[in-house]
Amino acid sequence: MKHIINIAEIKAWMLMAVSGKLIKTKPMLPIGINAPEFELNSTPDQKLKLSELLGKKVILAFYPADWSPVCGDQMTLYNETLKFFSKHNAQLLGISVDSKWCHLAFSKHNKFHFPLLADFEPKGMVAKLYGVYDEKEGECQRALYVIDEQGIIQWNYLSPTGINPGADGILEALEKLDNK
Amino acid sequence: MSTKLKPAVSSKDHIQGNKNAALELVEYGDYQCGHCGHAYPIIKAVQQEMGNKLKFVFRNFPLSEPHPDAFKAAVAAEAAALQNKFWEMHDIIYENQERLDWKALNFYAEKIGLDAGRFQEDIKINKVTVKVEDDFESGVRSGVNGTPSFFINGEKYDGDWEESELLQYLKSRI
C-alpha cells in the first residue's frame, strides 16, 4: 500500500468546492486502485496506519457523526456483525471527523469492539482523500469501502446520508473476494 | 441496500394468520428494543384489521450489546416454540419488556403454561440458539439495518409503520 496522497488532486477538488457551485464534486475512489495510505488516531494515545493492516481485508465505514441516530444504528449493527466480517479475515474501521475523545466516549457507551478513527485534524483529510467529504456539512458522507489483503480497493458504496446501508453489501463484497 | 428477503419464508418460520394469504408481512425484531415494543400493538391492530388476508412472520434480530437481554428472550421464545407456544411467549415478552432476565422469562414461561422442566432443558439446546443466530444472519443478508424492519411479500418496506401508514400500504396491495 503506497503513500499516494495526490496533493494536486486535493487542491483541485478544494478549489471546485470553494467555487460554491457544487458541494460534492470528487467521486469515490474507483475499484482496482491502491487504497491511499493514512494514519489516524484510533484511541487518544494510539495511531493506526492503513498499511499496518496489509494481509487483512479492511472495511472502511465513513459516517457523518458520533451520537447521531442513524450513525449509532449503523455502527451498532456493524458491532454485531463483526463475527461475519472476521470469518472473511476483514477488519472494520469506522471513520468520522469527530475527535479521539468523542470517539472514546461514543465507543465506550456503545461497547464497540472495533476502532473508530478520528479524521479530525486536518479536518476530514482522509474523507477528502477518499472522495467522501461533505463540504456543506463539514462531515464525512456515509460511505463504505472494502479493501483486499494487498491494499487494493475492491468495492465501494455511497449511501444517502439519512439511510443506514446495513451490512449485506459488505458481506457480499467479502464473499466475492473469497470466491475469486 | 438489499431489498429482498433472504431466505424466503418457509416452514422453519413462525407464521401467524392465514398461511395461504397473498400478503406476507415479515418482522425482524429485538425483544428488548423499545421501537419493537412500540410496534407490537400496531402489528396486532394490523393483523386484526387485515384478518385472513395477511400472513405474519416474526424473525429474531437481537442486538446483544445495546440490549443484553434480547438474545436470551429470543432463546426463550424459540424454546417455547418447541412446546407450540411461540406466539404466546412472543406476546408476553413484548407486553413485559421492562423485565427480561431469566427469572422473569421463567415466570412468563410458567404463566403461559409451559412445562417448566422441559423449558429449562430446551433453552440450553443448540438448535434453539442456532435458530436465533440463523434468523439474525438472514436479517443481515436481507439488508436489515435496524429494528423493527419489515418485509412485505419479500421486499423491504421502508415506509412508516406508525399510525395507519403500514395498514394503508397493506390494503393498497390487496
Side-chain angles (χ1 to χ4, degrees):
Chain A
M1 213 173 296
K2 288 193 297 182
H3 187 89
I4 57 163
I5 294 178
N6 185 335
I7 300 298
E9 192 184 17
I10 292 175
K11 277 185 181 167
W13 173 74
M14 289 172 79
L15 279 172
M16 282 189 279
V18 169
S19 75
K21 286 182 182 170
L22 293 168
I23 299 304
K24 171 72 172 66
T25 53
K26 191 182 175 204
M28 286 186 81
L29 296 178
I31 289 156
I33 68 161
N34 274 315
E37 173 70 310
F38 59 78
E39 184 178 31
L40 292 172
N41 274 83
S42 57
T43 69
D45 54 8
Q46 282 182 310
K47 290 194 171 213
L48 188 144
K49 270 187 186 173
L50 181 62
S51 56
E52 289 168 18
L53 295 170
L54 279 172
K56 282 181 90 89
K57 298 184 189 75
V58 176
I59 303 152
L60 298 183
F62 290 91
Y63 64 97
D66 291 348
W67 307 107
S68 71
V70 174
C71 308
D73 284 351
Q74 186 187 1
M75 295 303 128
T76 298
L77 175 67
Y78 293 172
N79 200 37
E80 305 279 339
T81 56
L82 291 176
K83 62 180 178 185
F84 302 116
F85 299 156
S86 46
K87 272 185 198 167
H88 297 283
N89 187 32
Q91 171 67 53
L92 171 68
L93 304 174
I95 306 178
S96 79
V97 297
D98 296 285
S99 77
K100 56 194 178 184
W101 298 105
C102 187
H103 274 341
L104 181 68
F106 185 54
S107 185
K108 273 192 175 175
H109 179 80
N110 290 296
K111 299 177 190 150
F112 289 157
H113 302 292
F114 60 93
L116 295 179
L117 304 183
D119 196 8
F120 182 70
E121 182 59 39
K123 188 183 178 191
M125 188 184 76
V126 175
K128 288 170 187 170
L129 186 61
Y130 277 77
V132 292
Y133 190 68
D134 182 336
E135 196 73 33
K136 187 181 171 199
E137 298 294 330
E139 295 173 341
C140 297
Q141 294 186 301
R142 198 177 299 285
L144 300 165
Y145 283 97
V146 169
I147 300 165
D148 71 14
E149 289 89 340
Q150 288 75 45
I152 310 290
I153 294 173
Q154 295 290 357
W155 182 77
N156 61 22
Y157 181 77
L158 181 65
S159 178
T161 300
I163 295 178
N164 172 356
D168 52 299
I170 297 171
L171 274 181
E172 277 174 25
L174 293 173
E175 279 163 6
K176 206 171 154 191
L177 282 175
D178 279 350
N179 293 331
K180 257 187 176 178
Chain B
M1 194 178 299
S2 171
T3 58
K4 302 274 185 204
L5 184 69
K6 297 170 203 161
V9 171
S10 73
S11 58
K12 289 180 186 170
D13 284 298
H14 304 296
I15 301 171
Q16 204 170 41
N18 178 4
K19 286 184 171 59
N20 300 315
L23 269 178
E24 174 190 278
L25 175 65
V26 176
E27 176 185 359
Y28 279 91
D30 170 321
Y31 286 111
Q32 207 181 347
C33 158
H35 297 294
C36 299
H38 183 54
Y40 168 72
I42 294 171
I43 299 304
K44 285 275 182 218
V46 165
Q47 286 181 279
Q48 179 81 25
E49 181 77 17
M50 297 297 292
N52 65 5
K53 294 187 177 68
L54 183 71
K55 167 168 53 170
F56 176 60
V57 174
F58 183 88
R59 287 182 176 174
N60 300 291
F61 202 78
L63 295 168
S64 297
E65 285 293 359
H67 303 142
D69 290 330
F71 194 91
K72 62 174 88 90
V75 164
E78 292 300 332
L82 299 179
Q83 295 187 48
N84 298 316
K85 289 197 183 264
F86 173 81
W87 291 106
E88 289 87 340
M89 197 61 161
H90 166 277
D91 289 1
I92 200 168
I93 289 173
Y94 273 127
E95 286 160 18
N96 297 276
Q97 269 192 308
E98 67 284 359
R99 279 211 58 196
L100 298 177
D101 53 71
W102 276 120
K103 194 177 168 190
L105 292 167
N106 287 332
F107 175 71
Y108 305 147
E110 198 178 321
K111 208 168 172 191
I112 62 169
L114 292 182
D115 177 320
R118 189 174 163 199
F119 178 70
Q120 287 304 317
E121 291 302 312
D122 287 346
I123 57 175
K124 293 177 200 139
I125 62 177
N126 194 42
K127 78 168 180 183
V128 166
T129 308
V130 168
K131 170 72 168 70
V132 177
E133 289 172 343
D134 284 353
D135 275 2
F136 184 85
E137 185 169 353
S138 80
V140 172
R141 290 180 185 282
S142 302
V144 169
N145 52 4
T147 52
S149 278
F150 296 102
F151 291 79
I152 296 171
N153 288 0
E155 290 282 338
K156 193 157 189 291
Y157 171 77
D158 286 321
D160 284 334
W161 47 265
E162 294 177 87
E163 307 300 329
S164 60
E165 292 199 38
L166 175 60
L167 181 61
Q168 293 311 320
Y169 181 78
L170 286 166
K171 282 183 171 173
S172 75
R173 295 287 303 269
I174 295 175

